[in-house]
Amino acid sequence: MESAPRFSATTKGVKVTVRTFWLDDQSQPEEHRFAWAYHITIENGSKHTVQVLSRSWEIVDGRGRIEHVHGDGVVGEQPVIGPKEVFEYTSGAMLETPTGFMSGIYHIFLPASASRFDAQIPAFSLDSPHHIDLIH
């Protein structure tokens, strides 16, 4: 897993790191189905407990088509992450093109102050071995 591409962004002490993995066994290039997994680590480097309330994604395929995805929490949870704690999960993406990008935000709640902020999910590329001219 260490050789997987890694992308990171930090917002107000919350560091989001993404690693991507091509899923050959779940992809069917001849049918324009290209699959990836992405593993996300959310590290709370702040002094305050945070909670991931929801997420917003922007997914751009190799043809420039944009899909917006919004939802509560992550992987069915709204994790509470204490200071210096980490939450990790793995999810996936399916595109009709052999390459694309994803980026987004986590909508974060701070219980102590009842305030909110958006933590950046870094833009990351989805590149398959079926795309000859990789530019990412």
Side-chain angles (χ1 to χ4, degrees), residues 53-99:
L53 292 182
S54 59
R55 69 198 182 282
S56 296
W57 286 104
E58 182 174 277
I59 305 164
V60 182
D61 73 10
R63 293 186 188 108
R65 287 183 298 216
I66 299 171
E67 179 183 1
H68 293 276
V69 178
H70 308 280
D72 290 337
V74 292
V75 292
E77 296 183 51
Q78 289 181 315
V80 175
I81 310 166
K84 311 303 178 209
E85 290 183 350
V86 174
F87 181 82
E88 296 184 72
Y89 72 95
T90 301
S91 192
M94 180 78 69
L95 296 180
E96 293 179 4
T97 59
T99 187

Side-chain angles (χ1 to χ4, degrees), residues 1-51:
M1 248 166 82
E2 289 305 314
S3 64
R6 185 181 305 256
F7 307 86
S8 293
T10 303
T11 309
K12 295 189 178 184
V14 175
K15 181 178 180 183
V16 178
T17 302
V18 182
R19 288 180 290 167
T20 60
F21 307 90
W22 166 247
L23 299 176
D24 195 57
D25 61 330
Q26 294 181 32
S27 297
Q28 298 172 321
E30 64 284 352
E31 296 183 22
H32 304 287
R33 293 176 48 87
F34 300 89
W36 292 266
Y38 53 89
H39 183 82
I40 295 193
T41 303
I42 304 170
E43 300 176 63
N44 182 3
S46 78
K47 298 176 184 176
H48 309 284
T49 295
V50 300
Q51 182 176 18

Side-chain angles (χ1 to χ4, degrees), residues 79-130:
V80 175
I81 310 166
K84 311 303 178 209
E85 290 183 350
V86 174
F87 181 82
E88 296 184 72
Y89 72 95
T90 301
S91 192
M94 180 78 69
L95 296 180
E96 293 179 4
T97 59
T99 187
F101 287 94
M102 289 179 66
S103 64
I105 53 175
Y106 291 125
H107 306 285
I108 304 290
F109 176 67
L110 290 97
S113 62
S115 61
R116 299 172 188 245
F117 70 92
D118 291 336
Q120 188 69 40
I121 303 168
F124 56 95
S125 61
L126 301 169
D127 298 313
S128 83
H130 298 278

